Amino acid sequence: MTKNQFLRKQFLLNFFRKSGCFLSSGNFCCVCGKESINEPVCKSCNELKFRVSEIDDSLCSVCGKRLISEKKICMQCRENVLLSHLDGVYPVLSYRLWNTNLLCRWKLEGERQISYFFSKLLNERLKQLYSKAGHFFIVPVPPRPGKIKENGWDQVQELSEFLEFKYEYDVERIMERRTSVQQKTLDRNERLETIGKSYFVKKGVKKIPEIVCLIDDVMTTGATLESCAEKLKEAGAKKVFAVTLFSVDR
């Protein structure tokens, strides 16, 4: 996709979205429930509830979740070393309260205007990572085979288009997924067993960026991100970070 194609697609999506909102008497804020015209979160809730925290010592240096102690690594990561190939994970939001409703409206109900809202939050986190790690290339976690054909779109792919064409990040779509089983149908142990078996660097990729930032929508166990990081480092990446919209308590 080119930038012009992306802009045309977003123009059409916005046109149909606004037309639908007009015919249905507007949208409603996922936090307070009040009318929000065309946005999934009203202006006041956006300012109060969706501030992107800074990347600092208050976050676990492994999984990126907020610490409740003074140590740099949370208890879960100290007791169960899983993310050994990742150099840092930085979720934007925790998967709780109104955030679950917002994610449901986006992924299950197909409210694609939320992609624009989420891309703004991702951009804030990525700017922080840029200050910390220097220049990096974004690598989106690829969808399962057949997902786009079934659903018409993939959420992470759409986010990567916003990041590339609106915010002008360098995006490399060099990963592929070779299993079609949905991660949400697997329990924790089954997810961990997929590490190293589901995600691979595409054949024919000749050069891997030295510093990579994976992007995904949700981190649950971290198995998906670890799988991708392992293959990227095997292929030559020196550092692999990850930024996700949400993190789920493991």
Side-chain angles (χ1 to χ4, degrees):
M1 175 179 290
T2 65
K3 184 173 183 177
N4 286 337
Q5 289 173 328
F6 168 78
L7 293 174
R8 283 197 296 269
K9 183 180 79 170
Q10 291 306 316
F11 173 82
L12 290 173
L13 287 173
N14 286 333
F15 173 80
F16 288 116
R17 170 175 62 86
K18 291 179 180 179
S19 299
C21 287
F22 175 79
L23 293 173
S24 61
S25 301
N27 205 346
F28 294 91
C29 175
C30 74
V31 179
C32 66
K34 295 180 180 178
E35 189 173 350
S36 182
I37 309 178
N38 296 323
E39 298 298 329
V41 179
C42 68
K43 183 177 180 181
S44 59
C45 288
N46 188 8
E47 294 175 349
L48 290 173
K49 306 296 185 182
F50 291 93
R51 294 177 180 174
V52 179
S53 61
E54 294 291 332
I55 296 176
D56 54 27
D57 293 337
S58 67
L59 304 179
C60 173
S61 61
V62 177
C63 70
K65 296 180 180 179
R66 189 156 298 281
L67 294 169
I68 58 175
S69 68
E70 295 182 357
K71 296 184 179 293
K72 293 183 178 181
I73 301 176
C74 71
M75 184 65 71
Q76 287 180 319
C77 290
R78 277 182 274 161
E79 293 179 348
N80 184 17
V81 181
L82 169 64
L83 308 179
S84 59
H85 292 87
L86 284 157
D87 295 284
V89 183
Y90 304 102
V92 177
L93 303 167
S94 60
Y95 185 67
R96 60 189 181 91
L97 302 176
W98 48 80
N99 293 339
T100 62
N101 296 330
L102 190 58
L103 184 66
C104 179
R105 285 170 57 174
W106 186 50
K107 294 194 71 171
L108 301 182
E109 298 176 17
E111 293 189 29
R112 294 180 68 169
Q113 71 271 22
I114 298 177
S115 298
Y116 174 74
F117 175 77
F118 281 156
S119 71
K120 291 190 291 184
L121 297 179
L122 278 179
N123 177 50
E124 290 299 313
R125 176 62 90 216
L126 290 167
K127 287 192 296 184
Q128 295 172 1
L129 181 59
Y130 190 92
S131 298
K132 175 183 174 67
H135 181 74
F136 53 78
F137 286 77
I138 288 175
V139 174
V141 171
R144 60 182 172 82
K147 178 182 178 180
I148 295 177
K149 185 176 181 179
E150 292 172 11
N151 301 334
W153 70 304
D154 173 62
Q155 293 80 16
V156 176
Q157 176 177 285
E158 185 152 287
L159 288 176
S160 73
E161 292 171 358
F162 274 101
L163 295 175
E164 181 176 14
F165 299 122
K166 179 176 176 59
Y167 297 105
E168 299 185 341
Y169 288 95
D170 292 318
V171 178
E172 295 286 347
R173 298 172 180 84
I174 57 177
M175 300 293 296
E176 64 179 359
R177 181 175 171 181
R178 298 180 186 172
T179 57
S180 58
V181 177
Q182 297 186 44
Q183 288 288 93
K184 65 182 180 181
T185 65
L186 305 178
D187 61 27
R188 175 180 171 80
N189 290 331
E190 290 172 331
R191 286 174 184 242
L192 297 182
E193 289 176 0
T194 65
I195 294 178
K197 303 175 183 178
S198 300
Y199 296 90
F200 298 87
V201 175
K202 291 179 179 178
K203 293 181 179 179
V205 175
K206 297 180 179 179
K207 186 176 181 180
I208 302 295
E210 288 192 3
I211 304 178
V212 168
C213 178
L214 293 162
I215 61 163
D216 203 1
D217 51 2
V218 181
M219 181 182 76
T220 306
T221 62
T224 293
L225 298 174
E226 177 64 13
S227 295
C228 293
E230 179 182 0
K231 296 303 180 181
L232 286 166
K233 285 198 168 179
E234 286 178 359
K238 303 299 182 185
K239 287 186 177 294
V240 179
F241 300 97
V243 169
T244 66
L245 282 172
F246 297 95
S247 65
V248 179
D249 290 337
R250 289 177 276 144

